[in-house]
Protein backbone atom coordinates (compact mmCIF):
# COMPACT_ATOMS: atom_id res chain seq x y z
CA UNK A 1 0.00 0.00 0.00
CA UNK A 2 1.46 3.34 -1.07
CA UNK A 3 0.37 6.95 -0.63
CA UNK A 4 2.53 8.47 -3.38
CA UNK A 5 -0.06 8.29 -6.16
CA UNK A 6 -2.73 10.03 -4.05
CA UNK A 7 -0.52 12.94 -2.98
CA UNK A 8 2.13 13.82 -5.58
CA UNK A 9 3.03 17.03 -3.71
CA UNK A 10 4.24 15.11 -0.69
CA UNK A 11 7.95 15.13 0.16
CA UNK A 12 7.72 12.01 2.34
CA UNK A 13 6.16 8.80 1.02
CA UNK A 14 4.91 5.79 2.92
CA UNK A 15 4.33 2.26 1.70
CA UNK A 16 4.18 -1.16 3.33
CA UNK A 17 4.86 -4.56 1.83
CA UNK A 18 5.67 -7.95 3.33
CA UNK A 19 5.88 -6.54 6.85
CA UNK A 20 8.23 -3.68 5.91
CA UNK A 21 7.07 -0.06 6.12
CA UNK A 22 9.24 2.10 3.88
CA UNK A 23 9.44 5.84 4.54
CA UNK A 24 11.09 7.76 1.70
CA UNK A 25 12.38 11.32 1.96
CA UNK A 26 11.70 12.81 -1.47
CA UNK A 27 12.67 16.48 -1.53
CA UNK A 28 15.69 16.56 -3.84
CA UNK A 29 15.23 20.25 -4.71
CA UNK A 30 16.60 21.20 -1.27
CA UNK A 31 18.67 18.05 -0.73
CA UNK A 32 16.09 16.54 1.62
CA UNK A 33 16.62 19.33 4.14
CA UNK A 34 14.58 19.25 7.33
CA UNK A 35 12.00 21.78 6.18
CA UNK A 36 8.77 22.23 8.11
CA UNK A 37 6.92 20.22 5.48
CA UNK A 38 9.39 17.34 5.46
CA UNK A 39 9.55 17.20 9.25
CA UNK A 40 5.77 17.21 9.60
CA UNK A 41 5.32 14.48 7.01
CA UNK A 42 8.16 12.40 8.47
CA UNK A 43 6.65 12.47 11.95
CA UNK A 44 3.23 11.56 10.50
CA UNK A 45 4.78 8.65 8.58
CA UNK A 46 6.54 7.38 11.71
CA UNK A 47 3.25 7.58 13.64
CA UNK A 48 1.53 5.72 10.83
CA UNK A 49 4.17 2.99 10.89
CA UNK A 50 3.86 2.64 14.66
CA UNK A 51 0.11 2.01 14.34
CA UNK A 52 0.27 -0.12 11.19
CA UNK A 53 -0.42 -3.76 12.02
CA UNK A 54 1.00 -4.74 8.63
CA UNK A 55 4.39 -3.26 9.48
CA UNK A 56 6.90 -5.13 11.63
CA UNK A 57 10.04 -3.22 10.59
CA UNK A 58 10.47 0.39 9.42
CA UNK A 59 12.95 1.51 6.77
CA UNK A 60 13.94 5.16 6.24
CA UNK A 61 15.51 5.94 2.88
CA UNK A 62 15.80 8.90 0.51
CA UNK A 63 15.78 9.85 -3.16
CA UNK A 64 18.33 12.00 -4.94
CA UNK A 65 22.05 12.15 -4.25
CA UNK A 66 21.71 13.42 -0.67
CA UNK A 67 20.15 11.47 2.20
CA UNK A 68 19.57 14.58 4.32
CA UNK A 69 21.37 17.92 4.33
CA UNK A 70 20.26 18.90 7.84
CA UNK A 71 18.28 21.96 8.83
CA UNK A 72 16.70 24.05 6.10
CA UNK A 73 18.81 27.17 6.59
CA UNK A 74 16.53 29.29 4.41
CA UNK A 75 13.63 28.55 6.76
CA UNK A 76 15.83 28.74 9.85
CA UNK A 77 16.65 32.35 9.04
CA UNK A 78 12.98 33.32 9.40
CA UNK A 79 11.62 30.93 12.05
CA UNK A 80 12.03 30.19 15.75
CA UNK A 81 15.43 28.64 16.33
CA UNK A 82 14.41 26.98 19.58
CA UNK A 83 11.26 25.54 18.03
CA UNK A 84 13.32 24.15 15.15
CA UNK A 85 15.78 22.50 17.53
CA UNK A 86 12.97 21.02 19.60
CA UNK A 87 11.49 19.60 16.40
CA UNK A 88 14.75 17.83 15.54
CA UNK A 89 14.87 16.46 19.08
CA UNK A 90 11.28 15.27 18.72
CA UNK A 91 12.11 13.39 15.49
CA UNK A 92 14.94 11.56 17.21
CA UNK A 93 12.71 10.70 20.16
CA UNK A 94 10.00 9.36 17.87
CA UNK A 95 12.49 7.06 16.16
CA UNK A 96 13.96 5.91 19.47
CA UNK A 97 10.56 5.16 21.01
CA UNK A 98 8.86 3.68 17.96
CA UNK A 99 7.72 0.18 19.02
CA UNK A 100 9.32 -1.34 15.90
CA UNK A 101 12.91 -1.52 14.71
CA UNK A 102 13.95 1.39 12.49
CA UNK A 103 16.57 0.79 9.81
CA UNK A 104 18.15 3.66 7.90
CA UNK A 105 19.57 3.23 4.39
CA UNK A 106 22.26 5.83 3.77
CA UNK A 107 23.11 6.06 0.08
CA UNK A 108 24.48 9.59 -0.15
CA UNK A 109 25.51 12.66 1.77
CA UNK A 110 24.39 13.23 5.38
CA UNK A 111 24.93 16.56 7.05
CA UNK A 112 24.31 18.07 10.47
CA UNK A 113 20.72 17.38 11.64
CA UNK A 114 20.35 14.52 9.20
CA UNK A 115 22.96 12.70 11.25
CA UNK A 116 20.47 12.67 14.12
CA UNK A 117 18.07 10.53 12.08
CA UNK A 118 20.88 8.07 11.35
CA UNK A 119 22.04 7.97 14.97
CA UNK A 120 18.54 7.55 16.39
CA UNK A 121 17.85 4.56 14.13
CA UNK A 122 18.31 1.09 15.56
CA UNK A 123 20.32 -0.09 12.56
CA UNK A 124 22.02 2.10 9.95
CA UNK A 125 23.51 0.64 6.80
CA UNK A 126 25.63 2.99 4.73
CA UNK A 127 27.24 2.88 1.34
CA UNK A 128 31.00 3.06 1.75
CA UNK A 129 30.95 5.98 -0.66
CA UNK A 130 28.36 7.98 1.31
CA UNK A 131 29.69 11.11 2.98
CA UNK A 132 29.05 12.47 6.46
CA UNK A 133 29.92 15.79 8.06
CA UNK A 134 28.97 17.51 11.29
CA UNK A 135 29.40 20.95 9.81
CA UNK A 136 27.88 23.05 12.61
CA UNK A 137 31.28 24.24 13.83
CA UNK A 138 31.92 25.85 10.43
CA UNK A 139 28.82 28.03 10.90
CA UNK A 140 29.53 29.11 14.46
CA UNK A 141 27.14 26.48 15.80
CA UNK A 142 27.36 23.21 17.73
CA UNK A 143 25.59 19.87 17.09
CA UNK A 144 23.46 20.46 20.17
CA UNK A 145 20.08 19.07 19.13
CA UNK A 146 21.57 15.83 17.78
CA UNK A 147 24.24 15.36 20.44
CA UNK A 148 22.07 13.09 22.60
CA UNK A 149 22.00 10.41 19.90
CA UNK A 150 25.14 11.08 17.88
CA UNK A 151 27.68 11.32 20.71
CA UNK A 152 26.70 8.06 22.48
CA UNK A 153 26.96 6.15 19.19
CA UNK A 154 30.48 7.35 18.40
CA UNK A 155 33.72 6.77 20.27
CA UNK A 156 34.80 9.88 22.15
CA UNK A 157 37.90 10.34 19.98
CA UNK A 158 35.91 10.01 16.77
CA UNK A 159 33.25 12.42 18.04
CA UNK A 160 35.88 15.03 18.93
CA UNK A 161 37.48 14.79 15.48
CA UNK A 162 34.16 14.87 13.60
CA UNK A 163 32.52 17.64 15.64
CA UNK A 164 35.49 19.95 16.09
CA UNK A 165 36.84 19.50 12.58
CA UNK A 166 33.57 19.53 10.72
CA UNK A 167 35.30 17.68 7.91
CA UNK A 168 33.79 15.12 5.56
CA UNK A 169 34.21 11.44 6.32
CA UNK A 170 33.00 8.41 4.39
CA UNK A 171 30.67 5.54 5.20
CA UNK A 172 33.52 3.20 6.04
CA UNK A 173 34.78 5.74 8.59
CA UNK A 174 31.26 6.17 9.98
CA UNK A 175 31.15 2.41 10.62
CA UNK A 176 34.56 2.48 12.32
CA UNK A 177 33.45 5.44 14.43
CA UNK A 178 30.25 3.61 15.52
CA UNK A 179 27.88 6.08 13.87
CA UNK A 180 26.49 3.45 11.49
CA UNK A 181 26.13 -0.29 11.94
CA UNK A 182 28.01 -1.25 8.79
CA UNK A 183 29.17 0.10 5.44
CA UNK A 184 29.13 -1.79 2.17
CA UNK A 185 29.95 -0.93 -1.46
CA UNK A 186 27.12 1.07 -3.01
CA UNK A 187 26.30 -1.77 -5.40
CA UNK A 188 25.56 -4.05 -2.45
CA UNK A 189 23.63 -1.53 -0.35
CA UNK A 190 20.12 -2.73 -1.20
CA UNK A 191 21.14 -6.35 -0.67
CA UNK A 192 22.56 -5.54 2.78
CA UNK A 193 19.53 -3.47 3.78
CA UNK A 194 17.11 -6.17 2.58
CA UNK A 195 18.99 -8.81 4.60
CA UNK A 196 18.88 -6.77 7.80
CA UNK A 197 15.19 -5.93 7.42
CA UNK A 198 14.36 -9.58 6.73
CA UNK A 199 16.32 -10.70 9.78
CA UNK A 200 14.64 -8.15 12.06
CA UNK A 201 11.26 -9.13 10.65
CA UNK A 202 11.61 -12.64 12.07
CA UNK A 203 11.29 -11.29 15.62
CA UNK A 204 8.01 -11.45 17.50
CA UNK A 205 6.30 -8.06 17.82
CA UNK A 206 6.39 -8.09 21.62
CA UNK A 207 10.01 -9.17 21.70
CA UNK A 208 11.04 -6.45 19.26
CA UNK A 209 9.10 -3.78 21.14
CA UNK A 210 10.39 -4.62 24.60
CA UNK A 211 13.97 -5.27 23.52
CA UNK A 212 14.12 -1.96 21.66
CA UNK A 213 12.79 -0.18 24.75
CA UNK A 214 15.60 -1.73 26.82
CA UNK A 215 18.25 -0.78 24.30
CA UNK A 216 17.12 2.83 24.00
CA UNK A 217 16.03 3.55 27.57
CA UNK A 218 19.12 5.56 28.53
CA UNK A 219 19.13 7.51 25.28
CA UNK A 220 15.49 8.48 25.77
CA UNK A 221 16.07 9.44 29.40
CA UNK A 222 19.04 11.60 28.42
CA UNK A 223 17.06 13.20 25.61
CA UNK A 224 14.12 14.00 27.89
CA UNK A 225 16.38 15.40 30.60
CA UNK A 226 18.57 17.55 28.35
CA UNK A 227 16.34 18.29 25.36
CA UNK A 228 15.08 21.74 26.46
CA UNK A 229 18.57 22.83 27.52
CA UNK A 230 20.09 21.72 24.21
CA UNK A 231 17.33 23.40 22.21
CA UNK A 232 17.97 26.64 24.09
CA UNK A 233 21.71 26.35 23.37
CA UNK A 234 21.00 25.75 19.69
CA UNK A 235 18.69 28.79 19.56
CA UNK A 236 21.27 31.00 21.26
CA UNK A 237 23.99 29.98 18.81
CA UNK A 238 21.72 30.34 15.76
CA UNK A 239 20.78 33.83 16.93
CA UNK A 240 24.36 35.01 17.37
CA UNK A 241 25.87 37.51 14.95
CA UNK A 242 28.73 35.13 14.18
CA UNK A 243 26.35 32.37 13.10
CA UNK A 244 24.11 34.73 11.13
CA UNK A 245 27.06 35.99 9.12
CA UNK A 246 28.33 32.46 8.50
CA UNK A 247 24.90 31.21 7.38
CA UNK A 248 24.37 34.16 5.04
CA UNK A 249 27.77 33.48 3.49
CA UNK A 250 26.91 29.79 3.13
CA UNK A 251 23.55 30.53 1.50
CA UNK A 252 25.20 32.97 -0.89
CA UNK A 253 27.70 30.31 -1.97
CA UNK A 254 24.90 27.77 -2.41
CA UNK A 255 22.87 29.91 -4.83
Amino acid sequence: MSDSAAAPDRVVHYEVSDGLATITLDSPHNRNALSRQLVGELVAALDRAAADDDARVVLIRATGTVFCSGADLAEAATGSMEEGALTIIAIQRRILTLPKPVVTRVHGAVRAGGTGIVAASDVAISAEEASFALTEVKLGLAPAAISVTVLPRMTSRAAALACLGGETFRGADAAAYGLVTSAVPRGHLDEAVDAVCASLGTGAAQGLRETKALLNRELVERLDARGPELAALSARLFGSEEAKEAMLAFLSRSR
Side-chain angles (χ1 to χ4, degrees):
M1 179 176 59
S2 171
D3 61 8
S4 57
D9 58 336
R10 286 184 178 273
V11 295
V12 176
H13 307 298
Y14 179 94
E15 61 180 349
V16 60
S17 177
D18 296 327
L20 178 65
T22 300
I23 297 172
T24 303
L25 311 184
D26 185 23
S27 185
H29 73 281
N30 66 353
R31 298 175 295 177
N32 291 316
L34 297 173
S35 65
R36 296 183 187 94
Q37 181 184 1
L38 187 142
V39 166
E41 292 182 16
L42 175 56
V43 171
L46 290 168
D47 289 343
R48 181 173 174 181
D52 194 337
D53 291 337
D54 292 329
R56 189 176 293 267
V57 179
V58 180
L59 172 65
I60 300 176
R61 54 175 295 152
T63 63
T65 59
V66 176
F67 174 78
C68 180
S69 59
D72 188 321
L73 294 183
E75 286 190 358
T78 60
S80 165
M81 301 299 104
E82 189 161 358
E83 181 181 349
L86 285 170
T87 298
I88 292 175
I89 289 171
I91 291 173
Q92 295 171 93
R93 192 183 195 283
R94 192 67 190 103
I95 294 172
L96 289 169
T97 59
L98 203 81
K100 301 168 185 180
V102 176
V103 178
T104 298
R105 174 190 181 275
V106 183
H107 72 290
V110 185
R111 297 292 184 267
T115 316
I117 294 175
V118 175
S121 301
D122 302 294
V123 179
I125 309 297
S126 173
E128 291 176 349
E129 301 87 347
S131 68
F132 296 77
L134 294 160
T135 53
E136 289 89 347
V137 69
K138 305 285 191 181
L139 299 174
L141 307 171
I146 60 173
S147 64
V148 284
T149 59
V150 172
L151 299 187
R153 299 294 193 200
M154 303 176 75
T155 68
S156 60
R157 289 298 189 189
L161 178 62
C163 294
L164 292 173
E167 303 297 342
T168 300
F169 55 97
R170 296 294 175 182
D173 298 312
Y177 293 169
L179 180 58
V180 301
T181 308
S182 63
V184 299
R186 182 171 283 128
H188 297 289
L189 181 59
D190 286 331
E191 177 185 352
V193 169
D194 290 346
V196 166
C197 291
S199 176
L200 293 173
T202 63
Q206 177 173 275
L208 292 171
R209 180 183 69 246
E210 297 302 327
T211 301
K212 175 169 178 171
L214 284 173
L215 290 168
N216 291 343
R217 181 179 61 189
E218 291 184 4
L219 282 174
V220 174
E221 289 175 352
R222 186 180 296 115
L223 187 149
D224 287 344
R226 301 202 58 203
E229 164 202 344
L230 293 169
L233 170 60
S234 183
R236 177 171 63 79
L237 294 175
F238 262 106
S240 69
E241 290 304 315
E242 180 179 347
K244 288 178 181 178
E245 291 177 8
M247 283 188 286
L248 283 174
F250 174 82
L251 289 171
S252 297
R253 293 194 302 270
S254 300
R255 291 192 180 100

